[in-house]
Amino acid sequence: MAEEVKSPAPPPPPEGEKKPAAEKPAPAASAAPAKPAAPAKPAAPAKPAGPVPVPWTSPLVEKYRSQYGSGLEAQTYLGQNYFTVDRSLIPDILRLLRDEEQFDYCVDITAAHYPKREKQFDVVWILYSFPRNERVRVKTQIADGASIPSSVSIWPTANWLEREVYDMFGIQFDGHPDLKRILLPDGWKGYPLRKDYGILQQDKEWVQINLGIESGQ
């Protein structure tokens, strides 16, 4: 019987040298589960259209439309009736509304500034009739630097109202008995309710002279 030949054992590693560790098989990479795609955001709903002025019809409107023609328009907006009139009709139309239609109370006079428009300012009179229990607004447009007749002779309450419009917008009212600032000091510069008046703007000179502080403190 043939004698089995054995392979010689590998020599021991030199003293001080560690035997290399047997390489371990790399673990199989586990496939991560795919994340579901995020649902698409629904499109924002269209912004609903807001209310718009519509023509105002009434015997009062027909009366003055036949008298002034294209110089007068009548519209209503959210229950508020108003005439838009040419500046040349002020103060005649205001006096007629008081004398013939009994709008005996001038509730307010105000303005709005549209700096990109040729006629930059709307001036608005808000009138009330006690006998009719009815309101009406009269609106006209004027350019920057233009003036408009005062209505103090029609309603004495217009005195302070026109002064406030002058103070905040710089609009001049011809024939006003004492047109000067009513809220701000006489020496104040600029008109704060104009759209081109910076919200942080101050009259630094007036503040420093009269209050002794820097503007904005």
Side-chain angles (χ1 to χ4, degrees):
M1 183 174 181
E3 185 177 353
E4 183 180 358
V5 179
K6 295 183 179 179
S7 298
E15 187 177 354
E17 183 178 335
K18 293 184 179 180
K19 183 178 180 180
E23 293 184 2
K24 296 182 180 180
S30 58
K35 294 182 179 181
K41 292 183 178 180
K47 187 176 180 180
V52 295
V54 296
W56 169 35
T57 58
S58 73
L60 177 66
V61 171
E62 296 308 316
K63 174 182 177 180
Y64 289 104
R65 182 172 286 150
S66 63
Q67 185 172 350
Y68 294 109
S70 61
L72 178 146
E73 294 181 1
Q75 293 180 304
T76 185
Y77 177 75
L78 297 178
Q80 301 177 7
N81 301 325
Y82 62 94
F83 290 115
T84 301
V85 304
D86 187 84
R87 180 242 180 246
S88 62
L89 299 182
I90 304 296
D92 292 345
I93 187 70
L94 299 176
R95 193 176 298 278
L96 288 173
L97 288 171
R98 185 200 67 177
D99 295 344
E100 297 185 359
E101 313 303 332
Q102 298 178 302
F103 285 95
D104 45 6
Y105 175 34
C106 181
V107 178
D108 197 9
I109 302 174
T110 187
H113 185 211
Y114 302 91
K116 295 182 179 180
R117 210 172 62 186
E118 181 180 359
K119 293 183 177 180
Q120 295 189 16
F121 295 98
D122 283 353
V123 183
V124 184
W125 292 258
I126 303 174
L127 310 177
Y128 178 74
S129 169
F130 284 98
R132 302 164 66 117
N133 189 24
E134 184 178 345
R135 291 178 187 266
V136 70
R137 288 162 171 78
V138 177
K139 179 171 69 174
T140 194
Q141 296 182 359
I142 63 170
D144 188 15
S147 61
I148 197 163
S150 171
S151 55
V152 172
S153 62
I154 305 173
W155 300 284
T157 54
N159 189 320
W160 284 16
L161 302 175
E162 290 178 356
R163 284 180 58 188
E164 184 175 356
V165 173
Y166 165 73
D167 197 1
M168 295 291 106
F169 294 93
I171 296 173
Q172 297 280 340
F173 290 87
D174 295 337
H176 189 285
D178 187 27
L179 191 63
K180 61 183 180 181
R181 291 190 184 272
I182 190 171
L183 300 175
L184 293 172
D186 291 337
W188 198 266
K189 297 177 182 177
Y191 306 101
L193 289 188
R194 291 192 179 203
K195 297 281 178 60
D196 51 8
Y197 188 93
I199 194 169
L200 299 179
Q201 183 175 343
Q202 294 285 334
D203 186 337
K204 295 183 178 181
E205 180 182 352
W206 189 95
V207 170
Q208 289 174 349
I209 292 174
N210 293 276
L211 302 181
I213 61 173
E214 294 293 328
S215 175
Q217 289 187 351

